[in-house]
Amino acid sequence: FGVVNGIEIYSMKIDSKVTSRFAHNVITSRAVNRGNVHKEVVFDVELPKTAFITNFSMTIDGVTYPGIIKEKEAAKKQYEKAVSKGQTAGLVKASGRKTEKFTVSVNIKAGSKVTFELTYEELLKRQFGKYEMFIKVKPKQLVKDFEIAVNIFEPQGITELEAEGTFITNDLQNIIKKTFSEKKGHVSFKPALDQQRTCANCSQSVLDGDFTVRYDVKRPTPDSLQIVNGYFVHFFAPTNLPKLPKNVIFIIDISGSMSGREIQQTREALLKILDDIKEDDFFNFILFGSDVHTWKETLIKATPENLDEARKFVRSIDTEGMTNLYGGIMRGIDMLNDAHEGKLVPKRSASIIIMLTDGQPNVGISNTQDIQAHVKKAIEGKYTLYNLGFGYGVDYNFLEKMALENKGLARRIYPDSDAALQLQGFYDEVSNPMLTDVELNYPENEISDLTKNSFKHFYDGSEIVVAGRFIDNNQNYLAVDVRGEGANDALSYTTHQDAEQTAKAFQEQEYIFGEYIERLWAYLTLEQLLEKRIAATGEEKENLTAEALDLSLKYKFVTPLTSMVVTKPEDYDNQDGIADKPTEGKVKFPETSYFDGDPHFIVPVPQKDDAICFNINENPGTVLNLISDPVTGITVNGELIGDKRANNDTKIQNTYFGKIGIANKYLHLQLIVTPEKITIKNGNEKTGFTWLDSVTVQQDGLTLTINREKNLVLSMGSGVSFVIVLHQVWKKHPLHQDFLGLYVLESDKLSEQTHGLLGQFFHGIDFTILELHPGSDPKKPDATMIVKNKELTVTRGWQKDYRTDPKHGVDIPCWFVHNNGAGLIDGVHTDYIVSSLF
C-alpha cells in the first residue's frame, strides 16, 4: 500500500527547532524505487512565503548532490540554455495564500534509494497574542515512518502551547503529543501507517492539510533582551496598556470591475467591521469610481446612532464608473489633515487609512509614480496607509511601494468565497493600536548594523523585534531607552541586559541551533532591506541591492536576489534546476509574441509594460500565414482545427491550431507538428517523432529538442527560436481535442521585412489609450486606442501564457482588438489565408 507508481516513500520527517521565535526547519524524505526500471521520484513540499530556503541536497545511493546558492544572474547565465527551454523554470512556485511549493524530481534506477533534505528558516511573527508556525502536510501517499517534531525554547518561559491540523480526525487527535514546562515546549505527531489511511483498506492518505503550532511567552516586563556572541535581539511587547482611540478612513473602489461578488463581499466585511469599532473611535467612508463620494464631510465619532446610519450607507454602496484612485486617496488624506488641524479628533490617537481597490488608476492622475509622490508629500509621515489589492488585476507593486513609503503595508485579498473574512481579518490586525511613535534607542557608539528601531504604531497582540551587532564583539552589556506615546501619557524607560543573564537562560543547549541570534539578525536585516528596496530608486536601490545580496550569499538564503542551482545525476534524462524566491507583484508581461488557445494572438508592447491581443475567426481547415521573412527564408503557417462538434450552448465553433508548419527555404528544411507527431523533412529525407519521445536532434543548421508530452524547442539558423506547446485534453472529452500553441523567442533576429499575422509586430508597435468607459461586461472596460494613426474601440481582457504552466497557464492582461484585429493588422485577416502549410 505504500508503493505508488513503483516508488515507496518510506520515511518523511519534519524537524523544527524554535529558539527565541526563530525557527530552523528541516524536511527529510527518503524513497526507494521498487520497480524493475528507472523511475522518477518527486520531492514536493510547501513552505511559508515568509521563510527563506537555506539548504537542499539529494543523496542517491550514497552520492550527495547539493544545492548551491548563487547570485541570481550568475545562476541564470550558467543554465541560460535550459531556462530558455523551460526546463529549469519554477522549482519554487507560489502555491497558495501563505505558501510556496518547492518541487524537485529525479530519475533513479531500479532498487536505488534517494534522500531529499530541505532546510528553511523564518522568524515567527506574533499576531493576536500568539506566535504561529505553519507546516503544510501533504505526502500524497502512505508513509511507513512519518513524523512532525517541534521543539521550542524560549528564555522568557512558555505560557501556552497548542497544535492542530485541518486534516486531524477524532482518531488522530490523540496522536498529537504536546508538553511544555518553563522554557521548553515539545509537539510531536507520528501516525502509524494504518492511522494514515482514509479508510480501513484504502491506499489514500488522510494527511493532507495544514498543521499549525501556536504558543506565547511570559511577559513580566515589556522587554526581553538577549545577547550572544556579539549580537543582540530585543523583543518589545508591553501588555495591559489602555487602548488608543483611532481615526480610520476607509477608501473603497466602487468602479465597474468591483460589481457582483466583489462589492457584495466588501459590504459584508464593512458591516462586520462596524460591529467592532469602539465608541472612542472616529471614522468615515470615501468611495471612488469615476467621481469621489464621501459619506460625511468630516470624520465622525462612532456613537451607536452614527454606526446605525453608517450601516445603512454601507448597505447602499454600489458600483459605477472608472477608477479615480488618486482623487479618493487624496480626499482621505485631506479629511484627516482637517480633522487634526480642527482638533475634531483626540491628540492622543492613531490615524489610519485603509484603501481597497481591484484595478489600476485610469481617471484623474493615473501615472502611478506621480500618485506615489503626491501621497507621500501629503501624508508627511503623519498617518499609516494600508493598501488592500482585491484580486489579480491590481498593480500590486504600486500599492506596496505607496504603502511602505507611508509606514504601512500592502496585502492581496484573494477573490474567493471568504474574501469578506480576509478583509475583516486584516482590519482585526490593526484595530487595536496601543502606542504611537515607538522608538527603541541604542548607544550609537556601541552598535552597528541595527535593524529598524522606530515604529509608527504598536498594536495589541503583536510584537516589535529589533536586532543588531556590537562594534566590540566581546561586549556583554546593553542598555536601551524606550519611548512611545500612549492613550493617557508618554511611555519612557530604560531597560538593560548582560550576556551572563542570557547565558543562564540558555543552559539547555540541545534546543539551540548554531549562531541563532546572528542568523535571526541576518534574516530580519534581509527582510527589511528587501522591503526598503521595493520603494527605492537609483543609487539608493543599487546600494540596498548590493547589501542584501552580500547577506543572502553569506548566510545562504534563497531570496529574490539569489538562486539555488540544483544539480542532478547526468543519466536517465535528468535536467538541472534553479530554485528562485517568488515575489508578490505585478503581472509579468511576455517578452515574445505568440498565439495559443482559441486562437488568441498576443503582441507584447514592452515600453508600455502591456500587451495587445486579437482573435481570428475562421473555419476549421483554414491555413493562416503567421510569419514570413524573405531574408532568412523562414516561414511559419498554421492550420485551424475545430471542436469535435459545435457547442450546443453557443452554436459557436471554437477553433485552435492543430497543425503548424515551419520552413527554412535556404536550408531546405521543413518541420510539421501536430498533437500526434513531429516530422522533419530535409529534401527527400523524412524523420518522425512522437510526443512520447524526449530527444534532442541536430542536423544541417536545425536544433530540435522534444520535452516529452510538454513542448518542443526549435532553432533554425538566424538565432530565432520557436517553442511549440502541446495541449492535451481528456481523450473521451465530448467537445475538445488536443491542440498547439506557438511562442517566438528572440524574434528580433528576424529581418525588418518580416510579415505575417504575428511577424508584422516583431519590430515594435506602440499605442495610446484614451477615454476609458464601461463596456458590456462591467469587469472589462472599453477604451479608445490610437494605433497606426487609427482610432479603435478596444476592451480590457485577459489571455493565457502557457509556457511555464501548460495545464493552467498564467493570466496576461491585454487590450483586445475586435473584428479579427481590424485596424491593428495590415490589410484584412483574409489576406493571410494561404492554400497549404508550405
Side-chain angles (χ1 to χ4, degrees):
F1 277 121
V3 179
V4 175
N5 192 30
I7 299 297
E8 178 189 358
I9 300 174
Y10 60 90
S11 173
M12 180 174 280
K13 296 191 176 181
I14 302 164
D15 181 65
S16 298
K17 286 185 167 65
V18 183
T19 304
S20 293
R21 292 73 149 166
F22 195 61
H24 176 89
N25 309 281
V26 181
I27 301 175
T28 308
S29 178
R30 304 177 194 275
V32 59
N33 181 358
R34 298 292 188 197
N36 299 318
V37 295
H38 76 266
K39 294 274 187 182
E40 182 183 56
V41 186
V42 179
F43 177 69
D44 187 355
V45 297
E46 295 185 56
L47 51 147
K49 286 181 178 178
T50 50
F52 291 140
I53 293 172
T54 61
N55 194 28
F56 172 76
S57 67
M58 284 184 298
T59 303
I60 303 170
D61 295 334
V63 180
T64 297
Y65 301 85
I68 307 298
I69 294 174
K70 297 186 173 186
E71 189 267 330
K72 187 180 287 289
E73 288 308 310
K76 283 288 194 293
K77 283 176 185 173
Q78 183 177 347
Y79 291 94
E80 202 165 36
K81 186 177 178 182
V83 172
S84 70
K85 296 175 183 176
Q87 294 171 353
T88 67
L91 290 187
V92 183
K93 293 181 181 176
S95 61
R97 298 178 190 177
K98 298 196 293 185
T99 57
E100 295 162 355
K101 181 180 285 190
F102 178 89
T103 305
V104 169
S105 61
V106 63
N107 287 294
I108 60 171
K109 65 185 181 184
S112 283
K113 291 183 176 180
V114 57
T115 298
F116 300 99
E117 186 173 284
L118 177 74
T119 304
Y120 64 92
E121 294 177 339
E122 66 171 327
L123 179 63
L124 303 183
K125 305 288 193 298
R126 187 171 185 255
Q127 275 188 335
F128 306 118
K130 292 176 185 175
Y131 305 98
E132 179 178 292
M133 186 166 70
F134 165 85
I135 297 169
K136 193 76 173 177
V137 177
K138 196 172 187 176
K140 295 184 179 177
Q141 66 187 79
L142 301 175
V143 179
K144 183 179 177 183
D145 183 13
F146 180 91
E147 182 179 11
I148 297 173
V150 180
N151 289 298
I152 302 167
F153 183 78
E154 289 289 350
Q156 290 169 258
I158 298 170
T159 58
E160 56 182 317
L161 175 64
E162 56 189 59
E164 61 183 21
T166 56
F167 54 88
I168 298 295
T169 61
N170 290 334
D171 293 337
L172 289 174
Q173 191 64 52
N174 294 331
I175 300 170
I176 299 178
K177 307 294 183 188
K178 53 186 179 182
T179 58
F180 72 93
S181 61
E182 294 301 323
K183 301 167 190 168
K184 293 184 191 177
H186 178 74
V187 175
S188 70
F189 176 67
K190 192 174 182 181
L193 204 63
D194 284 342
Q195 292 168 320
Q196 298 173 34
R197 301 180 196 276
T198 52
C199 62
N201 293 310
C202 295
S203 59
Q204 286 80 33
S205 173
V206 74
L207 305 184
D208 184 358
D210 305 338
F211 189 83
T212 305
V213 175
R214 296 184 187 89
Y215 73 92
D216 200 18
V217 300
K218 295 176 182 175
R219 299 182 195 280
T221 64
D223 309 86
S224 173
L225 262 171
Q226 296 167 22
I227 301 170
V228 177
N229 295 336
Y231 290 83
F232 78 89
V233 62
H234 181 189
F235 300 104
F236 174 76
T239 56
N240 302 320
L241 291 174
K243 288 183 176 56
L244 269 170
K246 64 180 180 293
N247 316 306
V248 58
I249 292 187
F250 300 94
I251 303 174
I252 308 297
D253 183 347
I254 59 163
S255 60
S257 58
M258 282 284 290
S259 65
R261 188 167 77 161
E262 283 90 342
I263 200 68
Q264 179 185 338
Q265 290 173 323
T266 301
R267 287 193 296 259
E268 183 184 330
L270 291 174
L271 288 171
K272 289 277 176 59
I273 287 169
L274 285 171
D275 291 339
D276 293 333
I277 288 183
K278 313 292 188 299
E279 194 162 352
D280 288 340
D281 294 341
F282 286 74
F283 73 106
N284 204 344
F285 296 103
I286 293 174
L287 313 178
F288 65 90
S290 295
D291 299 313
V292 177
H293 310 278
T294 58
W295 172 48
K296 300 289 184 182
E297 289 306 307
T298 62
L299 282 159
I300 67 165
K301 197 171 185 184
T303 63
E305 297 77 21
N306 286 337
L307 288 170
D308 284 342
E309 190 181 341
R311 291 183 184 97
K312 290 176 187 173
F313 174 77
V314 166
R315 291 188 186 102
S316 71
I317 293 174
D318 208 349
T319 56
E320 59 90 12
M322 312 307 277
T323 309
N324 188 359
L325 185 149
Y326 172 77
I329 196 165
M330 292 304 290
R331 182 76 62 87
I333 297 167
D334 289 344
M335 190 176 287
L336 271 175
N337 284 337
D338 291 344
H340 281 279
E341 288 166 11
K343 299 183 179 177
L344 293 174
V345 295
K347 184 180 178 182
R348 290 188 175 276
S349 59
S351 292
I352 298 167
I353 300 170
I354 299 176
M355 183 177 71
L356 170 69
T357 181
D358 80 328
Q360 301 187 28
N362 51 34
V363 174
I365 295 179
S366 57
N367 181 289
T368 54
Q369 290 184 330
D370 289 346
I371 295 173
Q372 279 172 236
H374 284 297
V375 168
K376 185 177 181 182
K377 185 177 179 182
I379 289 181
E380 291 183 315
K382 296 175 290 191
Y383 319 126
T384 303
L385 172 64
Y386 295 108
N387 289 330
L388 307 182
F390 206 133
Y392 300 100
V394 294
D395 184 342
Y396 190 86
N397 283 356
F398 156 61
L399 295 180
E400 188 171 36
K401 284 180 183 178
M402 189 163 62
L404 290 171
E405 283 183 336
N406 295 286
K407 303 186 179 181
L409 55 83
R411 180 81 55 84
R412 193 184 295 281
I413 302 298
Y414 294 87
D416 293 331
S417 57
D418 68 339
L421 290 175
Q422 296 176 56
L423 289 166
Q424 187 187 350
F426 175 79
Y427 172 78
D428 289 345
E429 290 178 40
V430 299
S431 62
N432 290 312
M434 313 293 281
L435 294 170
T436 63
D437 302 317
V438 178
E439 290 193 6
L440 309 176
N441 296 311
Y442 305 84
E444 290 183 12
N445 60 340
E446 296 176 8
I447 303 298
S448 69
D449 302 314
L450 186 68
T451 63
K452 180 180 174 181
N453 67 323
S454 64
F455 305 84
K456 186 62 183 174
H457 295 145
F458 168 74
Y459 295 104
D460 190 25
S462 68
E463 181 174 66
I464 287 172
V465 184
V466 180
R469 181 164 60 178
F470 289 109
I471 293 171
D472 178 0
N473 197 49
N474 297 313
Q475 182 166 332
N476 57 15
Y477 176 85
L478 181 64
V480 187
D481 288 328
V482 179
R483 301 282 183 272
E485 298 296 330
N488 300 325
D489 49 29
L491 181 76
S492 178
Y493 64 90
T494 300
T495 186
H496 57 86
Q497 176 78 322
D498 61 45
E500 271 187 40
Q501 290 171 294
T502 304
K504 286 177 186 174
F506 282 95
Q507 289 170 354
E508 297 88 348
Q509 287 296 316
E510 71 271 19
Y511 281 85
I512 301 173
F513 55 91
E515 303 294 335
Y516 81 96
I517 283 190
E518 182 179 348
R519 293 194 68 82
L520 186 159
W521 164 81
Y523 173 98
L524 196 57
T525 301
L526 252 177
E527 190 178 58
Q528 292 174 6
L529 285 171
L530 292 170
E531 191 176 88
K532 283 182 189 174
R533 184 174 166 268
I534 291 169
T537 57
E539 187 178 347
E540 183 192 6
K541 185 163 190 170
E542 289 178 14
N543 293 337
L544 290 168
T545 300
E547 194 177 344
L549 177 59
D550 286 346
L551 272 179
S552 300
L553 293 171
K554 179 178 179 180
Y555 291 94
K556 294 184 169 56
F557 288 131
V558 177
T559 69
L561 303 176
T562 53
S563 297
M564 183 167 64
V565 178
V566 177
T567 55
K568 303 180 187 178
E570 294 181 0
D571 50 6
Y572 303 120
D573 299 323
N574 285 312
Q575 296 162 336
D576 295 340
I578 294 177
D580 291 326
K581 177 79 174 168
T583 54
E584 185 83 67
K586 200 172 176 178
V587 173
K588 188 180 188 319
F589 285 86
E591 296 172 357
T592 179
S593 299
Y594 67 92
F595 62 76
D596 213 337
D598 175 26
H600 293 294
F601 293 78
I602 306 287
V603 179
V605 185
Q607 69 272 27
K608 286 282 194 297
D609 202 8
D610 211 336
I612 301 173
C613 49
F614 62 97
N615 205 356
I616 298 295
N617 297 306
E618 271 297 337
N619 295 321
T622 301
V623 180
L624 297 170
N625 173 238
L626 306 169
I627 301 167
S628 180
D629 181 6
V631 176
T632 62
I634 290 175
T635 301
V636 181
N637 295 328
E639 182 178 324
L640 299 178
I641 58 171
D643 285 334
K644 295 173 183 176
R645 55 180 171 79
N647 188 326
N648 289 332
D649 295 332
T650 64
K651 305 298 184 188
I652 292 173
Q653 171 77 305
N654 294 317
T655 55
Y656 311 86
F657 282 102
K659 187 182 286 187
I660 294 172
I662 303 177
N664 187 320
K665 71 178 182 181
Y666 298 127
L667 297 176
H668 307 289
L669 287 169
Q670 294 179 347
L671 180 79
I672 304 167
V673 183
T674 71
E676 291 76 39
K677 61 183 180 180
I678 300 111
T679 305
I680 302 173
K681 284 185 178 181
N682 188 348
N684 295 321
E685 294 181 13
K686 190 186 290 187
T687 309
F689 304 93
T690 74
W691 284 99
L692 293 173
D693 294 316
S694 185
V695 296
T696 296
V697 179
Q698 291 182 311
Q699 54 173 269
D700 300 325
L702 172 147
T703 302
L704 173 70
T705 299
I706 302 172
N707 298 306
R708 177 187 171 99
E709 293 188 309
K710 291 180 181 177
N711 59 38
L712 66 80
V713 182
L714 170 74
S715 60
M716 223 183 213
S718 82
V720 68
S721 298
F722 304 96
V723 177
I724 298 179
V725 175
L726 172 66
H727 295 279
Q728 293 180 306
V729 300
W730 178 45
K731 295 300 179 192
K732 295 181 181 179
H733 197 287
L735 197 62
H736 302 311
Q737 53 183 325
D738 297 349
F739 65 94
L740 305 169
L742 180 134
Y743 298 77
V744 187
L745 308 180
E746 297 185 85
S747 57
D748 59 322
K749 299 290 176 63
L750 294 171
S751 79
E752 291 191 7
Q753 296 179 44
T754 302
H755 211 265
L757 274 170
L758 271 184
Q760 63 188 290
F761 302 109
F762 285 172
H763 293 283
I765 188 170
D766 203 358
F767 66 87
T768 301
I769 291 293
L770 305 172
E771 300 173 14
L772 271 141
H773 49 273
S776 56
D777 183 340
K779 294 191 177 182
K780 297 178 178 179
D782 284 351
T784 299
M785 173 184 282
I786 308 297
V787 61
K788 293 185 174 180
N789 296 317
K790 299 172 189 170
E791 286 192 11
L792 307 179
T793 297
V794 294
T795 301
R796 193 61 168 169
W798 299 81
Q799 302 299 349
K800 294 281 190 182
D801 180 340
Y802 290 97
R803 281 175 299 167
T804 56
D805 187 348
K807 186 174 181 182
H808 302 105
V810 176
D811 284 327
I812 301 295
C814 63
W815 292 105
F816 185 79
V817 179
H818 300 272
N819 303 320
N820 295 301
L824 172 69
I825 62 173
D826 294 338
V828 294
H829 82 278
T830 52
D831 297 339
Y832 300 87
I833 295 176
V834 294
S835 58
S836 66
L837 274 187
F838 300 109

